Amino acid sequence: EAGVTQFPSHSVIEKGQTVTLRCDPISGHDNLYWYRRVMGKEIKFLLHFVKESKQDESGMPNNRFLAERTGGTYSTLKVQPAELEDSGVYFCASSPEGGGIMNTEAFFGQGTRLTVV
Amino acid sequence: AQRVTQPEKLLSVFKGAPVELKCNYSYSGSPELFWYVQYSRQRLQLLLRHISRESIKGFTADLNKGETSFHLKKPFAQEEDSAMYYCAPPWGNDYKLSFGAGTTVTVRA
């Protein structure tokens, strides 16, 4: 079974440009999460989809970030216009349950390394 | 909200020495915590979870309710244990998985 896949693996863009990151979760997983790791190690939550609905987008830094999940399948995260501080590694994760299961494991993609110059 | 603290950003040990990564939690409710690990050039993955009471790759994590801790331990570190380790609290009612700040472990030969 394919794991969580993310595209591209690495993106270098200029400040002011637009970038769209894509995440394909494991088939059948209702929950899809976006995270970001910047300037070191801490992983910050961005948002959470349950199927096609945004359950929680409290971690989205500002309105330059837009996430969608068409039909409850893959998800995209668009940054427009990109700023220097948006550089970092963006992770996507998915989990199979509707939520609230304490021993549920989250499966992560390889991440997209975004560099804004 | 469920919160965990990992006080050490960096941890360096010699091969064969014991290693302990600290994690403290500060919330009420059932402390079913997790440890995730990211090895170089690999994806973040679950290492072990408290509910399973398991030992993975020689690592164990004991829940200490008195100290509100869930430290990760291995008696004899190996070079392949070099990685970034994240403690994670249990999923809350908001179904959101969050992480501690992470600890980078370097095992030297």
Side-chain angles (χ1 to χ4, degrees):
Chain A
E1 179 183 356
V4 178
T5 53
Q6 292 185 245
F7 304 97
S9 58
H10 193 180
S11 179
V12 181
I13 62 172
E14 293 184 350
K15 176 182 173 181
Q17 289 186 323
T18 298
V19 63
T20 300
L21 313 181
R22 173 170 169 146
C23 169
D24 286 74
I26 293 173
S27 177
H29 281 195
D30 289 343
N31 290 292
L32 187 150
Y33 302 83
W34 283 99
Y35 294 87
R36 178 171 72 168
R37 184 169 63 203
V38 298
M39 297 296 291
K41 315 288 189 299
E42 190 162 358
I43 298 175
K44 294 289 192 181
F45 167 83
L46 295 178
L47 88 159
H48 169 208
F49 284 99
V50 177
K51 297 183 181 179
E52 68 276 9
S53 300
K54 291 177 185 176
Q55 178 77 12
D56 183 349
E57 54 183 332
S58 61
M60 295 287 264
N62 50 61
N63 59 10
R64 295 186 292 104
F65 289 74
L66 176 64
E68 295 180 325
R69 189 179 184 191
T70 305
T73 56
Y74 70 92
S75 174
T76 58
L77 179 64
K78 182 163 68 175
V79 185
Q80 179 183 28
E83 298 290 344
L84 299 179
E85 63 265 25
D86 300 332
S87 296
V89 180
Y90 290 77
F91 294 101
C92 175
S94 71
S95 69
E97 299 293 339
I101 307 297
M102 289 188 292
N103 62 347
T104 296
E105 178 179 353
F107 297 85
F108 283 80
Q110 289 277 30
T112 294
R113 181 174 296 278
L114 175 65
T115 304
V116 183
V117 297
Chain B
Q2 286 84 350
R3 291 191 181 277
V4 293
T5 304
Q6 292 181 252
E8 304 143 326
K9 286 190 179 295
L10 301 171
L11 196 57
S12 181
V13 299
F14 283 107
K15 178 182 175 180
V19 61
E20 181 180 49
L21 291 78
K22 292 184 169 52
C23 173
N24 290 87
Y25 62 92
S26 57
Y27 56 84
S28 58
S30 181
E32 297 295 348
L33 298 103
F34 304 82
W35 276 99
Y36 278 78
V37 61
Q38 187 172 25
Y39 301 102
S40 178
R41 299 189 184 88
Q42 295 187 29
R43 62 189 66 199
L44 189 64
Q45 59 189 287
L46 179 68
L47 177 62
L48 58 79
R49 67 194 88 185
H50 168 63
I51 195 171
S52 301
R53 306 293 195 270
E54 57 201 347
S55 172
I56 303 294
K57 298 184 179 182
F59 284 97
T60 58
D62 294 324
L63 182 69
N64 186 321
K65 292 185 179 180
E67 297 181 357
T68 61
S69 67
F70 189 57
H71 302 332
L72 184 68
K73 302 176 185 178
K74 185 169 181 177
F76 308 102
Q78 302 299 313
E79 289 181 76
E80 56 265 30
D81 296 327
S82 296
M84 291 166 52
Y85 293 80
Y86 295 91
C87 182
W91 304 71
N93 291 331
D94 55 4
Y95 313 145
K96 185 170 71 181
L97 179 64
S98 60
F99 296 92
T103 299
T104 300
V105 172
T106 302
V107 181
R108 294 173 289 168

